[in-house]
Amino acid sequence: MQQQETDLYPSRQGKKETITHRHDPVVYPYHKPELESTLSPEQIARYINDGFLVLPDYMSDWVEALQYKIGQLKQIMSGREELITEPDSNALRTIFNPIEHNQLVKNFFSHPRILNIARRLLGSEVYAMQSRVNIKPPFTGRSFPWHSDFETWHVEDGMPRMRAVTAWIMLTDNHEKNGPLYVIPGSHKQFVCCEGSTKDNNFATSLKKQMLGVPLQHSMKELMGNKEITSVTGKAGTVVFHECNIMHGSPDNISADPRSILMCVYNSMENIAQKPFSDLQPRPHYLNSRHPAPLHPLNDDADTHHDINPAIAISS
């Protein structure tokens, strides 16, 4: 393990909660032609300013195959610790590490239309630090509180700098009533040093209901300022990229429609996790890969359809 870097983003150190500015760029310079992507200069500028980018109907031809394969994973991985249930029921909330359990999922996140955007934004080769499926069943899918992913990855996993991006595809329609993601545009330019301190194995409860790394109300009010909360909605097949430090959360699913998304956290090969800044033991590998290997783009015509069986679906 590498020598510990200076902690530029101290959090959960038993001190009063504060808000500081980030020390890292949002988009990193690149020097290799192969890191070029499909993004326009206007889209890159929007990502730098807002901290997220929505690409409607970007990979809709993959949706049916991914739904089917993830439906299989729900059965194949049944009983494993990577499957997290809702805090107040046995309904499935999250499937972690699908990229290591299914080749189609890995192919999707290695597709040049996805991977090259991550490489361009991070200015380097990247690896899949974490992958997951977030599932909000009809009526019972519970909320996720306001939080910055980077705060947790920094404190509990040892991610040194803000040089990661999450890419995700909507596997079902995401609309205002089925618990869509909400973001605060521009919030990625500041960092909330949260109160409290982290206990051993905090992840065992936080994956069901996060309590630490959740900013206090007065911090959220200051962070919002004159910014407007934005919902990230769209049809199945929409792809979203959001910056690792953007403040985001989601409400309960109060509708009869399921809401499911497939996500991959791309981390720069120049930003590999070190010893957690909480001085605790690293979280399990399915939350933060400790054996990173760069992903390489597949051909554009990589197979997307394998033995589709409509009887097995992620929304079942």
Side-chain angles (χ1 to χ4, degrees):
M1 193 173 291
Q2 303 173 10
Q3 183 178 358
Q4 187 83 345
E5 287 190 15
T6 301
D7 189 353
L8 296 179
Y9 301 102
S11 189
R12 300 190 224 169
Q13 296 188 349
K15 300 177 182 179
K16 182 179 179 180
E17 190 162 287
T18 59
I19 299 177
T20 63
H21 291 287
R22 69 183 289 150
H23 302 284
D24 299 306
V26 177
V27 171
Y28 287 73
Y30 74 103
H31 307 287
K32 297 181 179 179
E34 61 267 27
L35 296 185
E36 188 56 86
S37 74
T38 58
L39 293 184
S40 68
E42 292 76 18
Q43 288 174 315
I44 292 175
R46 193 181 317 146
Y47 179 83
I48 291 173
N49 184 67
D50 294 341
F52 72 102
L53 189 64
V54 181
L55 304 175
D57 197 33
Y58 191 64
M59 301 289 279
S60 54
D61 56 328
W62 282 72
V63 169
E64 186 179 10
L66 288 171
Q67 284 181 331
Y68 170 58
K69 289 300 182 179
I70 291 167
Q72 287 184 320
L73 283 181
K74 291 167 63 176
Q75 301 176 8
I76 294 169
M77 297 176 67
S78 178
R80 294 180 62 97
E81 62 178 324
E82 292 97 327
L83 271 61
I84 310 298
T85 56
E86 292 285 352
D88 54 1
S89 74
N90 289 323
L92 188 59
R93 180 176 175 87
T94 306
I95 304 173
F96 279 101
N97 213 23
I99 200 170
E100 290 299 320
H101 291 272
N102 185 266
Q103 187 62 47
L104 184 69
V105 174
K106 187 172 184 178
N107 286 353
F108 176 76
F109 288 118
S110 300
H111 195 288
R113 296 189 72 202
I114 303 290
L115 179 58
N116 282 350
I117 291 178
R119 298 164 86 208
R120 171 65 184 90
L121 295 175
L122 302 181
S124 69
E125 299 298 337
V126 300
Y127 68 99
M129 188 198 81
Q130 182 194 102
S131 62
R132 63 188 183 274
V133 184
N134 280 352
I135 301 168
K136 283 192 178 180
F139 302 115
T140 61
R142 295 301 174 224
S143 64
F144 290 81
W146 288 115
H147 66 285
S148 153
D149 289 332
F150 174 77
E151 193 274 347
T152 292
W153 298 335
H154 183 71
V155 172
E156 299 189 41
D157 295 322
M159 178 184 283
R161 309 298 288 263
M162 296 178 183
R163 198 171 181 179
V165 61
T166 299
W168 50 282
I169 182 172
M170 299 179 186
L171 296 178
T172 60
D173 292 352
N174 284 217
H175 57 74
E176 293 289 353
K177 298 179 179 64
N178 67 347
L181 189 78
Y182 282 82
V183 299
I184 303 174
S187 60
H188 60 300
K189 298 177 183 179
Q190 296 174 289
F191 178 72
V192 180
C193 305
C194 293
E195 289 190 350
S197 58
T198 314
K199 307 296 184 184
D200 286 325
N201 297 323
N202 174 63
F203 69 90
T205 55
S206 69
L207 297 180
K208 286 179 174 285
K209 185 175 182 180
Q210 186 173 353
M211 302 296 288
L212 294 174
V214 177
L216 300 174
Q217 291 183 11
H218 69 81
S219 295
M220 287 304 304
K221 186 175 181 179
E222 180 181 343
L223 193 66
M224 289 176 179
N226 59 359
K227 303 180 182 75
E228 185 164 345
I229 296 173
T230 300
S231 60
V232 182
T233 57
K235 296 291 186 180
T238 295
V239 171
V240 181
F241 289 82
H242 74 252
E243 209 275 336
C244 64
N245 187 50
I246 194 169
M247 195 63 64
H248 63 287
S250 64
D252 291 351
N253 182 355
I254 60 172
S255 78
D257 301 324
R259 180 249 184 184
S260 299
I261 58 179
L262 172 64
M263 316 179 81
C264 178
V265 179
Y266 294 105
N267 190 25
S268 169
M269 288 297 295
E270 299 173 22
N271 194 44
I272 295 170
Q274 307 171 3
K275 179 182 177 182
F277 286 89
S278 58
D279 287 329
L280 299 175
Q281 290 298 311
R283 297 194 301 171
H285 68 92
Y286 60 84
L287 298 178
N288 192 303
S289 173
R290 292 281 164 176
H291 302 287
L295 292 172
H296 300 291
L298 298 181
N299 294 329
D300 281 327
D301 59 353
D303 192 9
T304 64
H305 302 88
H306 300 279
D307 305 320
I308 303 302
N309 180 355
I312 302 177
I314 191 170
S315 57
S316 62

